[in-house]
Amino acid sequence: MLRPRRLRTNPAMRRLVAETRLHARDLVLPMFVKEGIDAPHPIASMPGVVQHSEASFPGAVREALAAGVGGIMLFGIPAVRDAAGSAGTDPDGVLQRALRTARSIVDSEVAAGTSQGLVVMADTCLDEFTDHGHCGVLDDQGRVDNDATLPVYAAMAVEQARAGADVVAPSGMMDGQVAVIRDALDDAGFGDVAILAYSAKYASAFYGPFREAVDSALQGDRRTYQMDAANGREGEREADIDLAEGADMVMVKPAGSYLDVLARVAERSDVPVAAYQVSGEYAMIEAAAANGWIDRRGAILESVLGIRRAGANVVLTYWATEIAAWLAADA
């Protein structure tokens, strides 16, 4: 009789033969920095996650560094928004200030020999900065104008690079965004700044808590530019296009409901693949755990392990620092 159970007999055996492993360096922590607040503001639909003030943000960066997290992804929430999202391209806007702060902290820790550093990433999109909440500028009929948005993304990426981002991450799903940003970065002398393309980003019900996190003003939806949940092959095509345009990494978002797309993109990609465990996925586990319906730590680790098993090299998760601490304690 064949007995696969021999390899499950005890924890040591299971650790030895594990096909997929979690490492802190594979995790990226999304962080929200809000202009004009004096203290961290809790996000009700995401227990444990906050909108950081500019005073509390440095401490959270240092905590992520100490935990050995691989990277941070920064989102800025301005005090004033307009139709063009001009705060996003402002050299002294809240996101650029946060990037400069993170860059300074990381570089100082590395120079002092107290940390190996982490990768500083910036969300390159207009939805946090526009008063209508869409990811691009609108035409005279209120539709997102793809081609008019591209130069704004390019300008935003350059400002983010200038502020210290190692990686810019266009998340708006505009056609041609990677190529335009690559050209702009290269022309501005930022040839070493990488692009993490949100390649297969779906119009998802699981983004709900994120809207609260960034104080979104969105009316309607984003289905004309984010992907239809019914389509898997289209996600592969989007990733292929971004790779052809020069993306250094590609992403599937959300992660949990799109593991099939993630696996297919990972099979065909010759660059690292990321997946974003989004706000709704976080909120569901936290809510179920708070009610005593599931084991919180077990569910968190299983969910992230599943994303890695499906092919993600990098996982964006709001539990990144906490998971990193667990892994260190278990080592």
Side-chain angles (χ1 to χ4, degrees), residues 24-221:
R25 61 180 178 267
D26 303 325
L27 306 177
V28 172
L29 176 67
M31 304 177 74
F32 306 101
V33 185
K34 184 172 181 177
E35 190 171 36
I37 60 174
D38 297 325
H41 179 75
I43 301 166
S45 56
M46 299 177 70
V49 181
V50 301
Q51 295 172 327
H52 281 288
S53 68
E54 293 185 69
S56 70
F57 170 66
V61 175
R62 291 188 178 95
E63 184 181 15
L65 269 169
V69 167
I72 53 176
M73 175 69 77
L74 304 188
F75 297 85
I77 307 166
V80 178
R81 293 167 162 146
D82 59 27
S86 55
T89 55
D90 182 351
D92 197 38
V94 62
L95 181 52
Q96 276 66 261
R97 295 199 302 272
L99 286 166
R100 285 194 289 271
T101 297
R103 179 81 277 144
S104 176
I105 291 169
V106 172
D107 289 351
S108 295
E109 295 273 358
V110 171
T114 54
S115 171
Q116 294 184 347
L118 53 70
V119 177
V120 178
M121 304 181 178
D123 180 62
T124 310
C125 192
L126 290 177
D127 59 323
E128 300 106 279
F129 301 101
T130 56
D131 56 12
H132 47 73
H134 278 289
C135 298
V137 297
L138 304 183
D139 63 19
D140 56 9
Q141 298 183 52
R143 301 171 302 190
V144 173
D145 189 326
N146 188 101
D147 293 1
T149 300
L150 294 179
V152 183
Y153 282 6
M156 178 181 283
V158 169
E159 291 302 335
Q160 292 172 346
R162 191 168 283 132
D166 298 301
V167 177
V168 297
S171 60
M173 291 298 290
M174 298 296 122
D175 294 340
Q177 61 186 13
V178 172
V180 167
I181 289 172
R182 183 72 271 157
D183 286 346
L185 290 171
D186 291 350
D187 289 348
F190 296 110
D192 289 337
V193 172
I195 298 175
L196 166 57
Y198 285 59
S199 297
K201 182 178 180 181
Y202 287 83
S204 173
F206 293 106
Y207 299 150
F210 181 89
R211 307 275 166 82
E212 179 189 357
V214 297
D215 298 339
S216 177
L218 180 67
Q219 300 295 316
D221 58 51

Side-chain angles (χ1 to χ4, degrees), residues 6 21 24 31 43 70 124 179 211 246 259-260 297 300 313 321:
R6 293 192 188 101
R21 304 175 192 273
M31 304 177 74
I43 301 166
T124 310
R211 307 275 166 82
L259 295 178
D260 61 323
R297 175 169 169 162
I300 290 169
N313 305 104
T321 300

Side-chain angles (χ1 to χ4, degrees), residues 284-307:
M284 287 192 301
I285 290 177
E286 290 288 352
N291 279 284
W293 296 335
I294 59 174
D295 172 64
R296 179 177 180 272
R297 175 169 169 162
I300 290 169
L301 291 173
E302 186 176 335
S303 68
V304 177
L305 191 67
I307 295 166

Side-chain angles (χ1 to χ4, degrees), residues 170-171 173-179 182 195-201 235-251 270-271:
S171 60
M173 291 298 290
M174 298 296 122
D175 294 340
Q177 61 186 13
V178 172
R182 183 72 271 157
I195 298 175
L196 166 57
Y198 285 59
S199 297
K201 182 178 180 181
E236 296 176 75
R237 182 179 184 227
E238 288 278 9
D240 288 346
I241 291 170
D242 286 346
L243 290 168
E245 291 183 5
D248 300 286
M249 295 178 275
V250 294
M251 184 192 290
D270 57 359
V271 304

